Amino acid sequence: MASSFPSVSELEAAARLLYGQVFGEEPQVAACAPGRVNLIGEHTDYNQGLVLPMALPLVTVVVGSRTPGPDVTVVTATEDADEPRRVDFSLLGDGAALAPGLPRWANYVKGVIQHYRAPPVPGFRAVVVSSVPLGGGLSSSASLEVAFYTFLQQLKPDDEDGVSKALACQQAEHTHAGVPCGIMDQFVSVLGSEGHALLIDCRSLKATAVPLTDPSLVILITNSNVRHSLTGSEYPTRRRQCEEAASVLGKDSLRDATIKDLEEAKGRLDDVAYRRARHVIEEIERTARAAEALQRGAYREFGKLMVESHKSLRDLYEVSCRELDQLVSAATEVEGVFGSRMTGGGFGGCTVTLLQAHAVDKTIQHIQERYGGTPTFYVTTPSAGAQVLSVS
């Protein structure tokens, strides 16, 4: 069975209840922002390429109130045995930086405060509740960053420019979480559109809404429940390998490179750099073709491109793992499934599968029979981006 997940109103109610228990008062403002699933276009965003994500009904909710002094208290409802659920710190004057530290989850909050576009941020109290699974490749981090930025906009408004907001949240992850991520996650969390995937050009930061409203079509997310952390060496290493390959090719980024360029330079690249660059160059082209196929309703063509993407991520980019490969293999054995692939940074997390609605139950059953672990399933639809919630 696919898992149900709490609605935004249920999450907000839980956050308000916890806020009252901790602080003995009602919160003044509330905001939320979604996680995302990337349908195709993996590890292309930091190469200025194309991506095709959609915002999810899985969200992070922040409720809280402004306080008169410089002190900040944030409490999370997310349980992690290794980290405290409450953090207290003071906002520093004169633009002094908030240093990252422990608990790690609070670094995303500190980063957003640091890069908020209408400083200085006032003191506040806040509670965070989320339905986005941690380490699942559905961008719990961007969901938290964007939800918190949206919360701060209610305490001290900025100019409400969505692209600039996404860029500020991306910078928060770079400086305070130590992940040199591309712009995709924050962008779609801010600007996601109900009923649409977003084809994002990560160089121009232009987005094209791609309708995804066919009632016969379903997006199935399968969480391997293998947790990953992108702050290790693998993600920065992949990014550095791409930058080195682009440099050898004489390009500002791999977005400007063709397979012909790559083959001509093959003798000047080591085997690893060649394979990384080949994945990115071909994945950017795959993503453009996939968006066009989706526009036409050519779902089998789209699904074929999804499977090609997974194989490339497995063999050329080497960011898949045994569990993700098992999930994709099992899904694609079922009639009614158009395609499946790993999604997110890799080394665990989730797969995304495009299939006919009538095939959902038998696909879930087949995956459960074939997969060695205990997966979690979500049937999802493209949802709206960040929004302010009413606390009345």
Side-chain angles (χ1 to χ4, degrees), residues 20-40:
Q21 291 170 344
V22 174
F23 299 113
E25 62 182 25
E26 283 289 312
Q28 297 168 351
V29 296
C32 73
R36 64 93 189 97
V37 65
N38 190 22
L39 300 177
I40 195 166

Side-chain angles (χ1 to χ4, degrees), residues 317-352:
Y317 221 67
E318 297 180 285
V319 291
S320 188
C321 61
R322 178 178 55 84
E323 294 87 354
L324 294 175
D325 294 343
Q326 282 182 352
L327 291 173
V328 169
S329 177
T332 53
E333 289 169 352
V334 180
E335 175 136 5
V337 169
F338 295 116
S340 185
R341 59 183 289 277
M342 62 154 277
T343 186
F347 309 107
C350 295
T351 62
V352 58

Side-chain angles (χ1 to χ4, degrees), residues 3-8 11 32-37 54-61 129-134 136-140 142-144 189 221 223 350 376-385:
S3 295
S4 59
F5 39 84
S7 67
V8 172
L11 286 173
C32 73
R36 64 93 189 97
V37 65
M54 68 182 209
L56 293 172
L58 299 160
V59 302
T60 298
V61 170
V129 175
S130 185
S131 58
V132 188
L134 297 178
L138 302 180
S139 205
S140 56
S143 176
L144 173 57
S189 188
I221 297 171
N223 192 342
C350 295
T376 306
F377 301 93
Y378 305 97
V379 176
T380 65
T381 54
S383 301

Side-chain angles (χ1 to χ4, degrees), residues 147-204:
F148 234 99
Y149 195 105
T150 309
F151 167 77
L152 292 181
Q153 286 177 303
Q154 311 318 301
L155 302 185
K156 191 170 189 291
D158 68 352
D159 62 8
E160 298 192 0
D161 180 77
V163 173
S164 297
K165 174 178 175 177
L167 288 167
C169 292
Q170 179 196 27
Q171 283 302 307
E173 190 146 345
H174 287 188
T175 60
H176 283 67
V179 179
C181 61
I183 191 60
M184 169 179 65
D185 298 352
Q186 294 82 4
F187 196 107
V188 73
S189 188
V190 173
L191 296 166
S193 174
E194 188 171 354
H196 296 80
L198 280 188
L199 178 65
I200 304 169
D201 184 325
C202 297
R203 178 163 58 187
S204 68

Side-chain angles (χ1 to χ4, degrees), residues 257-329:
T258 65
I259 289 296
K260 182 173 180 290
D261 295 328
L262 183 64
E263 293 303 326
E264 288 174 351
K266 190 173 183 179
R268 293 182 282 126
L269 291 164
D270 65 44
D271 180 59
V272 172
Y274 169 82
R275 286 186 285 118
R276 303 293 187 258
R278 185 176 159 197
H279 163 74
V280 171
I281 294 167
E282 291 180 340
E283 184 80 347
I284 292 170
E285 171 62 23
R286 260 193 298 271
T287 304
R289 289 163 52 204
E292 192 269 334
L294 202 58
Q295 289 271 22
R296 289 188 284 111
Y299 303 137
R300 291 193 185 283
E301 184 180 338
F302 188 94
K304 182 170 178 287
L305 292 165
M306 291 177 77
V307 174
E308 288 177 10
S309 172
H310 181 79
K311 290 177 178 177
S312 181
L313 289 158
R314 180 191 67 197
D315 301 336
L316 297 178
Y317 221 67
E318 297 180 285
V319 291
S320 188
C321 61
R322 178 178 55 84
E323 294 87 354
L324 294 175
D325 294 343
Q326 282 182 352
L327 291 173
V328 169
S329 177

